[in-house]
């Protein structure tokens, strides 16, 4: 199986930046895309970004496009989420996961969820 561990979350002021990391271990010999989701209290888990195995294709939620950048380093089995111009509404637990289905914006199509990392943006 694949294990994913997110890190890099924390408390920042509005307008600040954070870079999240998702390190994979175990069975990492697949070419599956990987994605980031986030979940705020009382809300559903929402799509943030996804990237192909090669890094040649990526897609973003409208709410983060232009502010967040997803990337991956396959030599390190790690995917990143660079978050700039953070807003209080970005406050959530951020999760990474492996896309094993077909609909890349649907959380039900992902497996091997990490434990999540908390991002809190103060105003």
């Amino acid at each position: 199986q694949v294990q994913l561990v997110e890190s890099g979350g924390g408390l920042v002021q509005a307008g600040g930046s954070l870079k999240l990391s998702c390190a994979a271990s175990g069975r990492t010999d697949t070419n599956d895309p990987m994605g980031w989701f986030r979940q705020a209290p009382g809300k559903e888990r929402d799509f943030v970004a996804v990237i192909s195995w090669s890094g040649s294709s990526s897609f973003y939620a409208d709410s983060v496009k232009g502010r967040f950048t997803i990337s991956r380093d396959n030599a390190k089995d790690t995917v990143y989420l660079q978050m700039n111009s953070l807003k209080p509404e970005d406050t959530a637990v951020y999760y990474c996961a492996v896309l094993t289905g077909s609909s890349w914006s649907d959380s039900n199509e992902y497996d091997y969820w990490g434990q999540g990392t908390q991002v809190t943006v103060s105003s």
Side-chain angles (χ1 to χ4, degrees):
Q1 70 276 23
V2 177
Q3 295 86 41
L4 303 177
V5 178
E6 300 95 337
S7 62
L11 174 64
V12 298
Q13 293 185 351
S17 298
L18 283 173
K19 188 172 185 177
L20 307 183
S21 297
C22 174
S25 61
R27 182 169 48 84
T28 61
D29 58 346
T30 71
N31 293 327
D32 292 321
M34 295 186 66
W36 287 94
F37 286 74
R38 65 187 182 184
Q39 187 168 29
K43 301 295 182 65
E44 67 179 8
R45 189 166 297 187
D46 290 330
F47 169 77
V48 175
V50 64
I51 188 169
S52 64
W53 74 269
S54 67
S56 61
S57 298
S58 60
F59 297 93
Y60 298 88
D62 289 341
S63 58
V64 307
K65 192 172 185 178
R67 299 188 298 121
F68 292 9
T69 302
I70 189 171
S71 62
R72 68 190 301 167
D73 185 342
N74 290 338
K76 297 181 178 179
D77 289 324
T78 301
V79 63
Y80 305 95
L81 185 68
Q82 177 67 52
M83 306 185 296
N84 298 325
S85 301
L86 284 163
K87 306 174 181 179
E89 49 263 48
D90 295 319
T91 295
V93 177
Y94 284 71
Y95 300 89
C96 64
V98 178
L99 178 60
T100 56
S102 59
S103 299
W104 47 263
S105 63
D106 185 352
S107 64
N108 293 321
E109 302 296 313
Y110 289 75
D111 287 309
Y112 308 110
W113 296 91
Q115 85 290 341
T117 186
Q118 176 71 49
V119 172
T120 302
V121 184
S122 65
S123 60

